[in-house]
Amino acid sequence: MTLLHYWGKWEGFDDPKQYVNELVNSRDGLFSFLISALVRATSQGIGDHVVRIHWSIKLSTIEQYIDVESVKSKLELLNTEKLNDEENRAIKAFNKALKRREDGKSEDSWFDID
């Protein structure tokens, strides 16, 4: 995502958007894009011995390059039975982000980590 961001800053976002629209036409490209959008956060309570890892995707980041509904429809067409852990994590985070938006929750609130 960082490379796409700086590419857009340097030359404008038309080329990165076109690149992403072509990239997500393949299964591997779609997952590469979603995995690159994953954000890792950690939390730890006072009595916890280990940190908890939370994965999320900000839909506003996705929307800089492609329509969220387009990504959603492409994911719905995929056979999701044989996904690796990273692909499952990306789908789960994307679906959670969609649900948060549907529920009117902010994508920036760390209070609402599930």
Side-chain angles (χ1 to χ4, degrees):
M1 237 4 112
T2 302
L3 182 59
L4 287 171
H5 174 76
Y6 283 110
W7 183 12
K9 288 272 191 192
W10 290 326
E11 296 187 20
F13 281 90
D14 289 341
D15 287 340
K17 286 179 182 181
Q18 181 180 350
Y19 172 79
V20 169
N21 275 286
E22 292 172 13
L23 178 70
V24 300
N25 284 329
S26 73
R27 179 197 180 284
D28 290 342
L30 177 60
F31 279 112
S32 291
F33 180 68
L34 286 177
I35 289 167
S36 74
L38 282 170
V39 176
R40 180 181 184 262
T42 59
S43 65
Q44 186 172 9
I46 293 174
D48 294 342
H49 296 288
V50 295
V51 298
R52 293 182 191 181
I53 299 171
H54 308 275
W55 294 95
S56 64
I57 288 180
K58 288 188 172 188
L59 296 180
S60 60
T61 300
I62 301 283
E63 290 170 326
Q64 290 178 344
Y65 307 101
I66 191 168
D67 181 60
V68 168
E69 289 300 317
S70 176
V71 174
K72 181 181 174 185
S73 65
K74 289 176 186 306
L75 284 173
E76 289 171 350
L77 296 174
L78 290 178
N79 179 357
T80 57
E81 291 178 15
K82 296 182 180 179
L83 299 178
N84 64 37
D85 290 342
E86 207 169 35
E87 293 166 340
N88 274 317
R89 187 179 299 130
I91 287 179
K92 184 178 177 183
F94 181 76
N95 288 333
K96 189 188 304 184
L98 289 173
K99 177 80 167 101
R100 290 176 62 77
R101 178 174 280 178
E102 182 181 295
D103 292 345
K105 294 182 180 178
S106 168
E107 65 182 5
D108 294 321
S109 175
W110 58 273
F111 285 112
D112 294 326
I113 293 176
D114 301 325

